[in-house]
Every structure is written in structure tokens, then in C-alpha cells.
Amino acid sequence: MVMVFRFKLIPFVATVLVVALGLQLGNWQERRAAEKIALQGRLADGAAAAPLVLDGAPQAADAVAWRRITVTGEFVRNWPVYLDNRPYQGRAGFYLLMPFKIAGSNMHVLVARGWLPRDPAVRDKLPVYATPAGTVTLQGVARLNAGHVMELGSAQPLAPSAIVQNADPLQLARDSGLTMQPFVLEQAAPAQPSGDDAQMVRDWPAPSLGVEKHQGYAFQWYALSAMAVIFFAVNGFRRGKTK
């Protein structure tokens, strides 16, 4: 019995498409894994570095992301923004964002002050909380944003006490007229020296890494490409059997 490979155009085209798709998706997962590995390094470096003391000088968001931050100034109390659909331990609630004017400058940083529960009976009722008056010092971590959730339609302009799905510093700068740093400060502890905002929950979610997950997906896509080639070759020889 002689084994002869017979080329078939349609199976060949299908194999090429499957291989191309598998390689493309595998490479994408590898890039995602590399990004997460780089983020792991930035998180470790940020935790090990001395806190960055913010003054009025503009900072590049990428340069300070994941750095520990210390800043002194005062809250812009009349410009709170509430991020909706931020549950915590099964309870519905908000993230409270508020601009913070940096001492000795006209520069502000958008502070994610903490999580607050919402009233389940009155959806648009705002929670009661304290805001330190006067000059205080905050400690926290710089993040590129306060997290994003799915939002249908176009985002509306921000306004004081708005309940919104998403908000970022540049959007708040545009709608409020305040000069803003291009990142969010995730507050880690009560303001000092007053500390009268201690009732807020600051159990911030850690960034999702999942390096192994992306590597596993990449392996699956590469394996699919390899199996497509093997299947094409084996079936080509089978069709070519002669007696």
C-alpha cells in the first residue's frame, strides 16, 4: 500500500485560516501576558519606592502610576462625583471622587476617597459622609483611572454631585474648569490631621493580573493551529491511499 498526499484546495484554505487565527490570537494573549508581567514589576517597584510628594508641578500619568503618593492641600468640597455600580461585599454603593487642591498651587488631583453604601430604597439618594475642612495631608496610590464599568450611550458632562458610571481627571478638568493632574489618587487612609472621613471603606480592589491565564490561552490557540496542520496532513494522506 502506497501513501500519497493529495492536495485539496478547500481544506488547505480552511487550514490556513484556522492557523492564521490561532497564531494571531495566541500572539495577542502573549502580549497581554507581557503587559501583566510588566504591571507586576511596576506594582513591586511602586510599593518599594519612597512616596512621591506631590506639589503643583504637572506629572505624567504613566510616570507616577502605581507610585505611593503624599500630598497636602484641601478638598474642593462643592465638587463631589459619585461613581455608580461599585458593589462591595455584595452591597450596592458608590466610589466617591473629589478634587483636591494642592497646597501652594492652583493644581488639583482627583482623589478616590473611598466606598460608600447606597440606599437600596431610594436609588438617587446620596450617602452622608464627612469631608475634612482646611489643610490636610493624604496618602495613597496613583492610578491611571478610577476603574471603568460598561456604559451605554455617550457620557454626560460632569456636574457637582453627579451620579455617573465613569469619570476621569481630564473630563472633570474640562467640565469644572479646574486644573487637574492626569491621574487619580486612590486614598489609602484617613486624612491627617483631622481624620474625620474614617467611615469610608478603602478596601480597594487589586489590579487584575492573571498572567498564567493569558499564557494558558496562548498555548491553547497555538495548539489549535498545530492541530489544524496535523489534521490537514493526516487527512490528505488518508485520501491518497492506493492498493
Side-chain angles (χ1 to χ4, degrees), residues 41-75:
R42 295 192 67 179
L43 288 172
D45 292 343
L52 173 67
V53 179
L54 277 188
D55 54 21
Q59 301 283 343
D62 289 339
V64 300
W66 308 112
R67 286 283 306 273
R68 291 186 296 150
I69 298 290
T70 296
V71 59
T72 298
E74 57 185 304
F75 284 107

Side-chain angles (χ1 to χ4, degrees), residues 128-151:
V128 177
Y129 56 89
T131 298
T135 300
V136 294
T137 297
L138 306 180
Q139 295 182 347
V141 175
R143 296 194 59 165
L144 295 177
N145 55 63
H148 286 272
V149 299
M150 183 179 295
E151 182 173 9

Side-chain angles (χ1 to χ4, degrees), residues 123-207:
R123 183 173 177 82
D124 58 353
K125 182 179 179 180
L126 297 176
V128 177
Y129 56 89
T131 298
T135 300
V136 294
T137 297
L138 306 180
Q139 295 182 347
V141 175
R143 296 194 59 165
L144 295 177
N145 55 63
H148 286 272
V149 299
M150 183 179 295
E151 182 173 9
L152 300 178
S154 301
Q156 298 298 314
L158 296 179
S161 299
I163 300 175
V164 297
Q165 300 299 313
N166 301 292
D168 63 65
L170 299 184
Q171 180 186 9
L172 191 140
R174 182 181 64 246
D175 295 337
S176 68
L178 300 175
T179 304
M180 303 292 300
Q181 297 281 10
F183 57 88
V184 174
L185 176 61
E186 205 170 66
Q187 189 176 344
Q192 297 298 326
S194 65
D196 59 355
D197 58 348
Q199 79 275 22
M200 296 185 190
V201 177
R202 298 192 175 95
D203 184 13
W204 299 108

Side-chain angles (χ1 to χ4, degrees), residues 1 5 13 20 49 64 85 121 127 195 198 203 220 232:
M1 182 176 65
F5 182 81
V13 171
V64 300
N85 293 319
D203 184 13
Q220 292 176 12
F232 173 73

Side-chain angles (χ1 to χ4, degrees), residues 78-101:
N78 63 344
W79 249 102
V81 174
Y82 303 88
L83 296 188
D84 200 2
N85 293 319
R86 266 53 176 197
Y88 177 73
Q89 296 184 349
R91 300 176 64 194
F94 304 98
Y95 284 166
L96 171 61
L97 304 184
M98 191 174 288
F100 186 82
K101 187 175 184 295

